[in-house]
Every structure is written in C-alpha cells, then in structure tokens.
Amino acid sequence: MDSALACALAPTDFSTFGDWVWGPRVTLTRVRFVATLDIDLPADVIEHAPTFWDRCKGLTGTAVDLSTDRVRSRIEASTFLYQVRSALVALGIDNARWLVVDGTPVFEDHKGVPNDLPELMTAFADHVLLQTQAIRQLRLCVEHEEAGLGVEIEARMAAEHPRDEPAARVSITGRILDLGPRHDESGGAYRRRIEQIVSDAARWAAVKVQFSTFVSRFEQALGVALPGASVQSTTRQLGFELQGEPSLWPESSKRGLSTASPQRNFTLSLEQRIAAAIGGPPAYAVRLRKIEALEAHLVNQLAMAERQSLDIVPAVVTRGLDELNRLIDQHNRYYPIERNLAMDPSTGALLAVGEPWTPLGAVSIQELRHRTAAMRAGRQE
C-alpha cells in the first residue's frame, strides 16, 4: 500500500484530525458545520482626554469633539457571562470546556467531566473576588451532543472594542459523531463505514437541517437572555469541502466523466446562495475594499504633500496609516475563519484555492512613498 494512502487511512490519524474523512471519489474530505453570531451590545463612545488645542478651542466657544473610534459596552463582562449561561441552560447545555478571563485560564476541563458548567461559574465567581480591576475580555467554550451531532460553542466578549466590530462573537462548530473511529476498528472497516455515511445524501441533508435548526435555537435563546442586544448570523457554512490533495483514484476512472459546465474549484450550497442573496457581500470582501480605498487615499494625500514640498508626513496620513494596518491585522485574523480555509495536513499551512495562503503585510510610510513615486511616474508616462 502506498505510504500516503496508508497514512490517510490510519485510524490513529483520524483520531488526531477528527474532522477529516475518506469519501467516495475524493481524497481527504473535511466535514465542517460552522456558524458565527455577531452580538452588538448597548455601548458608549470612549472620549480621549482634551489636548491643549482642544482647551483653546473650548475657550472660544467652539464645539470640541473628543470621541474616539472605540466604544465601551454598558454591559459588564461578568453580566454577559451569566446571560450566556442562561441561554445555554435554556437549551440544556451544561458541559463546559474552558474559561479564559483577560488572558488568564480560570477553568479547564482536562478530564472531560460532564455537566460541569456550574463548576465553571463557581471558579469564575472565585476569580472575580480576587480581581481588583474590571474584566476587559473573556472567552468561554462549551460542548454539547444531541442526536448524533456534536457541537462546540465558543463565546468571546470585549468590554471595549472598535466601533465597527461587534462587542461579542459566538462561533458554533458542529461535527457528526459517527465520523470518529471506533474502538479496535481497522482502517479498512473504518473506510468502508465512512464511505457509506458520506454517500448517503439524505443523511447529509438531514444533518444540515439539524445543525441549522440548532443555530437558530441558540440565536433565539441569546436574544431572550440578552435584552437590548442585536444578534446577527454573519457566517454559515454547511456541508463538507473537498481538499486540493492529489487524487488517490486511478486516472482511468476519471476519463469517462464529462459535464456541460466548466470545471470549478468551489461549490455553493443552497444555504450559502440564500445567505449571499440576503446578506450582501461577505465581511472579508467589504474589508478588503476598505483596505484598498484607504491605501489609495493615503497615496493621494502623500502625493499632495510632496507637491507642496512638505518635509513632514501629514497627520492625516499618519492616522490613516495606523487605521490601514489595523484593518490589515483584522483581515489576517478573521479571513481564514470567514473563508473556512482548508489546512494542509502534512504541513499545517492554510490553503486558499489549493495554494498556500499568505497574510497581508503591514504597510509602512516608505512603501506609501514608493507607491506615490510609482503613481507619479505612471502619470508622467
């Protein structure tokens, strides 16, 4: 047996990469059911301390705007945690995994003890008693099983955050429990069992509906537990995606295949088509457009300053460069999740359309000057 094939079919590898399975007429197939809920909480704009110039303008009666691009939630992080706990209890979810408060692990279930959400809340209460400062950030993770579907829920909340970002985000990941290897199951038996599961179209359709229904129930429970909050599902991906691995099927088995449509490297499910029609462009596309527009604006501002023979970099360019790099950092953090990028099991690298994905690099003032000079040279030509 080929070494790559043996590695792909080994039960030990399936236990390590639990969401990878073997499907008919494909190589490795990653099964992932993902939903992301953005939660907007009532918040107040954070104001910066008045500068000397602000005080001077105030003495003249001029209105001074001290608002920044950040807001502070009116709901404390501890209150948010208790409200999320209420939503979990309403759905019968009480299996906690871990809790992190301001980067400090407060609770972690190493042994997989069930029904330990009360213990997590007790550990959180003890942690709050020792705290001398208000909580800034927290992350909660719980898991739940129902009707053969395993669900992992991770909730993140920040007391202070940029205006254009949600105060909290809940990520829900689902997996089919039957896809895991069974005790003392051989590689061949495991492959045959997985092939039967993957080829059952009716079962996949039922699981999609089951996961979508669970997400809707959890979204409704959050709306009840968080009065005054706005809960919106921003990302939903259902089904499995084919990875760009070399096919293990003989070439002769492919030659008889034909199709009237051109080859594609992606497939849109019905849920994704509906979400695209209703929700508009995805968040990563809007963010990339902002990055491109802001970068072009900064290049134009720098070109104007150079035409006026200004030696210093204008303040508008300095502030805009900080905002540009903030958007780039945000894009690099969220893009792999929003696009559900595949991972190369041999290297661990993220893949975009079969090729390694490269994060966007930070932009410096030297790069802006170089692009300004290139733009000016292009106009002269």
Side-chain angles (χ1 to χ4, degrees):
M1 179 183 293
D2 185 85
S3 59
L5 177 58
C7 179
L9 297 181
T12 54
D13 289 341
F14 283 108
S15 62
T16 303
F17 303 96
D19 57 348
W20 293 83
V21 301
W22 173 275
R25 295 189 179 277
V26 296
T27 57
L28 289 178
T29 306
R30 186 174 66 179
V31 180
R32 175 167 291 185
F33 301 84
V34 179
T36 303
L37 305 178
D38 285 346
I39 303 175
D40 290 321
L41 301 173
D44 298 317
V45 177
I46 299 176
E47 296 185 347
H48 64 79
T51 62
F52 174 76
W53 181 242
D54 292 331
R55 295 191 184 95
C56 292
K57 290 194 295 184
L59 293 175
T60 62
T62 305
V64 180
D65 184 12
L66 301 179
S67 61
T68 65
D69 62 346
R70 299 185 64 82
V71 295
R72 180 182 293 108
S73 175
R74 298 176 186 172
I75 299 177
E76 295 183 357
S78 56
T79 304
F80 175 79
L81 178 60
Y82 280 97
Q83 291 173 328
V84 171
R85 192 273 303 265
S86 299
L88 295 173
V89 172
L91 296 179
I93 303 174
D94 58 1
N95 190 7
R97 291 192 59 191
W98 46 261
L99 173 67
V100 178
V101 179
D102 291 335
T104 301
V106 174
F107 176 88
E108 188 170 1
D109 183 9
H110 295 283
K111 299 181 180 180
V113 178
N115 310 322
D116 54 355
L117 184 58
E119 284 77 5
L120 180 145
M121 300 305 299
T122 301
F124 175 72
D126 294 340
H127 177 79
V128 171
L129 291 176
L130 301 176
Q131 284 287 95
T132 58
Q133 298 179 346
I135 298 175
R136 299 183 302 275
Q137 295 179 345
L138 63 81
R139 296 176 60 194
L140 165 73
C141 183
V142 299
E143 57 185 3
H144 180 62
E145 295 182 4
E146 62 177 33
L149 180 68
V151 180
E152 180 179 290
I153 303 172
E154 180 181 345
R156 291 160 284 174
M157 189 267 186
E160 297 183 6
H161 58 91
R163 290 189 191 183
D164 57 348
E165 294 183 6
R169 173 166 289 171
V170 178
S171 301
I172 306 175
T173 304
R175 60 187 176 89
I176 301 177
L177 300 178
D178 285 346
L179 295 182
R182 297 173 180 174
H183 182 64
D184 295 335
E185 186 176 28
S186 65
Y190 182 48
R191 186 182 71 174
R192 289 189 295 271
R193 181 168 62 84
I194 295 303
E195 286 179 349
Q196 293 177 358
I197 296 176
V198 173
S199 60
D200 190 346
R203 179 169 183 172
W204 282 110
V207 173
K208 288 183 179 183
V209 173
Q210 180 184 0
F211 179 77
S212 180
T213 302
F214 176 85
V215 173
S216 299
R217 286 163 47 208
F218 188 74
E219 185 175 356
Q220 182 178 6
L222 282 177
V224 174
L226 294 168
S230 173
V231 183
Q232 181 180 8
S233 176
T234 57
T235 305
R236 182 170 296 179
Q237 298 173 358
L238 306 173
F240 48 54
E241 58 181 85
L242 306 184
Q243 304 304 311
E245 296 288 328
S247 176
L248 303 180
W249 290 86
E251 289 296 325
S252 58
S253 65
K254 301 179 183 179
R255 293 171 183 168
L257 300 178
S258 62
T259 176
S261 61
Q263 292 184 350
R264 298 174 296 172
N265 56 10
F266 64 92
T267 299
L268 290 179
S269 65
L270 176 60
E271 293 85 355
Q272 291 171 320
R273 293 176 186 273
I274 296 175
I278 298 177
Y284 65 84
V286 176
R287 190 167 53 246
L288 281 174
R289 183 67 184 91
K290 288 182 180 179
I291 292 174
E292 295 174 357
L294 180 55
E295 185 175 345
H297 174 71
L298 295 180
V299 169
N300 289 331
Q301 291 292 328
L302 198 57
M304 292 175 57
E306 291 179 354
R307 285 199 297 269
Q308 298 174 7
S309 301
L310 297 178
D311 295 332
I312 62 174
V313 179
V316 64
V317 176
T318 303
R319 292 194 299 267
L321 185 60
D322 293 338
E323 174 66 13
L324 176 63
N325 286 322
R326 186 189 69 81
L327 288 174
I328 292 175
D329 178 69
Q330 184 184 82
H331 177 78
N332 292 336
R333 285 188 287 117
Y334 294 143
Y335 182 79
I337 301 175
E338 294 168 340
R339 290 299 307 273
N340 189 26
L341 294 185
M343 179 178 291
D344 188 338
S346 60
T347 63
L350 295 174
L351 301 176
V353 198
E355 298 295 332
W357 173 71
T358 303
L360 298 179
V363 179
S364 63
I365 190 64
Q366 290 77 12
E367 292 183 38
L368 289 180
R369 291 187 184 278
H370 178 74
R371 295 172 189 178
T372 301
M375 180 185 68
R376 188 164 50 248
R379 290 178 177 177
Q380 291 176 355
E381 293 178 358

